[in-house]
Every structure is written in structure tokens, then in C-alpha cells.
Amino acid sequence: MPLITFKNPAILAWLESQGIKGEYRDYVTPDDVLHRHVYGQLPLWLAAYADRISEVSLPRLSREGRERLKDGLLSTPEMDAAGACVVTYQVRKAA
């Protein structure tokens, strides 16, 4: 089951509208993310423990939209109009 660490209500609503559900945690440790798919923002050292980490990208979001997103006020249709999509990464610690 994916782990969700996003706190922004607009992003959480958008993820749910996309059928993305998981265990929500406000605070995580390396053991919490180990070998899991995480939706959220983590420092690189912690992301390296996860199997994958996904963010929500909004490539067409305006400056005004970014302010509204920051305040959790952006609607799901507005996020769709801004090109909202999930982008997934794998982070590995270098030797």
C-alpha cells in the first residue's frame, strides 16, 4: 500500500480524484518508507530508503495559482487545467 506524506488538502483531493489512495502519515522515519512507494516530498536522504517517490507536477500553474495551491485553495478541476500529473522517481544513495 502506498504511503502518502502530502499535507496540502488540494493535492490530497486531487490524488483521491485520480484513484490514488494509501496510508497517510504526517511524519515518517526510514523504517516507515523502506521499500514503499511514497507520494509526497521527502529529503533525499530519506527518499533513498523508499522504493519509489512520486510528486504532483503542475507545469502550467500560474503564479497566482501557486499562491492558491500553497494555501490549499486550488480545486481539482483547476489542478487538471494546470496539467497536474504524477511524476515518479527512484532515489539511490551513491557509493
Side-chain angles (χ1 to χ4, degrees):
M1 173 186 300
L3 181 64
I4 300 172
T5 63
F6 285 115
K7 297 177 185 177
N8 186 300
I11 292 176
L12 293 171
W14 185 84
L15 286 173
E16 188 172 321
S17 78
Q18 302 301 303
I20 298 170
K21 298 177 182 173
E23 176 186 353
Y24 176 80
R25 294 242 183 135
D26 198 24
Y27 176 85
V28 292
T29 66
D31 286 337
D32 296 328
V33 303
L34 187 63
H35 305 302
R36 293 183 74 181
H37 186 170
V38 178
Y39 288 84
Q41 297 170 335
L42 297 176
L44 291 174
W45 72 267
L46 187 54
Y49 286 92
D51 178 52
R52 294 170 288 170
I53 183 161
S54 293
E55 67 175 9
V56 175
S57 178
L58 297 152
R60 295 189 305 268
L61 191 61
S62 67
R63 177 176 278 174
E64 292 172 0
R66 293 203 183 278
E67 288 301 314
R68 294 188 62 235
L69 176 65
K70 188 170 80 171
D71 294 335
L73 302 175
L74 211 58
S75 69
T76 297
E78 288 173 308
M79 290 182 68
D80 287 334
C85 61
V86 173
V87 180
T88 302
Y89 302 91
Q90 288 186 312
V91 179
R92 298 291 174 249
K93 182 179 177 182

